[in-house]
Amino acid sequence: MVKKDLNEQFFESVSYLISQARAELKASFEKTAVPDQTLWYHCLDHTEGVYQRAVKIMNTCNRVEQGTFNAHTSALVSLAVYYHDIYIASYIVLDPTTPHRRLSRKRFTGGNEEAAIAILHRRMDEQNDDCGQTVFLQSDFNFVQQTIALTIPIFEAGTVMQGITSRMPLAVRILPLADLGECSMDPMRFMRSGELLLCEEQPLVQASLQGYWSNAHVEYLRQDILTWSANQAEFVIGRKKRTNLDLAGISAYMEQLLMKECFNGFETSLQLVKDRHNRRKTMTY
């Protein structure tokens, strides 16, 4: 068998692995036979959104300094994007102290990301074996491992942060910034995603929207929805503060341009979630 040019094979392998991930995300997490396992937020649509935001961030950086993200690094970022949520194990917890016996989804935070890294590592190794040459170097794996690990959420002060530090290369920050960048980069999508995440996190809310819940418990569900809506504003405020810290260590001009052209939607998102919360306070359920 004639071996392909190594550079050509690298991009072909990345494309193949991404196509595998897209098919699995769609099949595994969307409209499963078991309602509790349907992930309304963590599905292919979420991953596609992360990819679009990651590309926008990288393109903006390349405008400041051409070559900041070459084709090889951009491909590795894309690969990491499509695998960062490839494995999501969760379980449902019932709170017997609430009148409506609230259900909440708990994910294996950290463990899921480690599993995703292991899956991607195995497939990169398989590509090396199948192609009969070292398509993916150890440095390539180290990169995707580091950037996927940075998507492990750290819940703090009403928002979510990641382990980004100012000493980290900008390239490994792209995925985590894009993952949590929806409220700053695409406010309307953030509004829609917030509803999907609520349904994913609290299955009874989704059940009530589909008419599978007793009217006797509607008021309790209303309070759950209002609490979620109020927390959305805290999340946006926290992400605005955190994004500036996550960009620390890069050039002042690049940071300024990223905040202006990519992470410029915080105020819009904040106003949208506040308006929605106020409307909901007066609605009947």
Side-chain angles (χ1 to χ4, degrees), residues 25 29-31 37-50 53 84-85 88 105 107 160 178-183 189-202 206 228 232 235:
L25 284 166
F29 300 149
E30 297 182 11
K31 298 179 181 178
Q37 295 306 313
T38 297
L39 299 183
W40 298 93
Y41 173 79
H42 287 96
C43 59
L44 178 59
D45 184 67
H46 164 69
T47 300
E48 298 280 20
V50 176
R53 294 190 292 276
H84 82 284
D85 279 339
I88 298 184
R105 183 182 304 279
R107 288 186 293 274
V160 182
D179 191 25
L180 294 182
E182 197 169 51
C183 66
R189 188 180 185 124
F190 172 67
M191 293 291 286
R192 183 176 72 252
S193 295
E195 303 294 88
L196 295 174
L197 185 57
L198 169 60
C199 291
E200 180 177 305
E201 295 287 302
Q202 298 191 29
Q206 176 61 28
W228 178 273
Q232 288 276 278
F235 172 81

Side-chain angles (χ1 to χ4, degrees), residues 141-188:
F141 170 68
N142 292 344
F143 176 86
V144 296
Q145 178 184 35
Q146 184 180 14
T147 192
I148 291 176
L150 283 175
T151 65
I152 298 174
I154 303 169
F155 301 96
E156 183 176 283
T159 194
V160 182
M161 54 180 288
Q162 299 138 323
I164 295 174
T165 70
S166 61
R167 294 186 178 184
M168 289 180 174
L170 178 58
V172 300
R173 308 187 209 183
I174 299 302
L175 167 55
L177 284 167
D179 191 25
L180 294 182
E182 197 169 51
C183 66
S184 58
M185 298 182 70
D186 193 345
M188 295 309 298

Side-chain angles (χ1 to χ4, degrees), residues 38-189:
T38 297
L39 299 183
W40 298 93
Y41 173 79
H42 287 96
C43 59
L44 178 59
D45 184 67
H46 164 69
T47 300
E48 298 280 20
V50 176
Y51 171 73
Q52 292 164 13
R53 294 190 292 276
V55 169
K56 182 175 182 178
I57 297 169
M58 290 189 289
N59 287 343
T60 302
C61 291
N62 279 338
R63 283 175 45 211
V64 177
E65 185 176 341
Q66 191 168 4
T68 300
F69 292 98
N70 60 29
H72 187 97
T73 301
S74 297
L76 288 176
V77 170
S78 300
L79 187 59
V81 165
Y82 277 95
Y83 276 85
H84 82 284
D85 279 339
I86 198 69
Y87 182 91
I88 298 184
S90 63
Y91 59 98
I92 304 299
V93 175
L94 184 149
D95 184 354
T97 66
T98 57
H100 59 310
R101 298 169 70 82
R102 180 189 298 116
L103 298 180
S104 300
R105 183 182 304 279
K106 303 296 182 183
R107 288 186 293 274
F108 292 95
T109 301
N112 286 335
E113 288 79 8
E114 290 173 3
I117 291 167
I119 290 169
L120 180 52
H121 191 187
R122 183 179 70 250
R123 292 183 183 177
M124 293 168 78
D125 283 343
E126 289 171 352
Q127 281 296 296
N128 286 348
D129 292 340
D130 292 346
C131 296
Q133 55 185 333
T134 307
V135 178
F136 294 108
L137 303 173
Q138 181 62 39
S139 58
D140 295 334
F141 170 68
N142 292 344
F143 176 86
V144 296
Q145 178 184 35
Q146 184 180 14
T147 192
I148 291 176
L150 283 175
T151 65
I152 298 174
I154 303 169
F155 301 96
E156 183 176 283
T159 194
V160 182
M161 54 180 288
Q162 299 138 323
I164 295 174
T165 70
S166 61
R167 294 186 178 184
M168 289 180 174
L170 178 58
V172 300
R173 308 187 209 183
I174 299 302
L175 167 55
L177 284 167
D179 191 25
L180 294 182
E182 197 169 51
C183 66
S184 58
M185 298 182 70
D186 193 345
M188 295 309 298
R189 188 180 185 124

Side-chain angles (χ1 to χ4, degrees), residues 18-38:
I18 287 176
S19 68
Q20 269 193 317
R22 293 186 79 257
E24 290 175 22
L25 284 166
K26 187 171 183 60
S28 298
F29 300 149
E30 297 182 11
K31 298 179 181 178
T32 64
V34 182
D36 282 353
Q37 295 306 313
T38 297

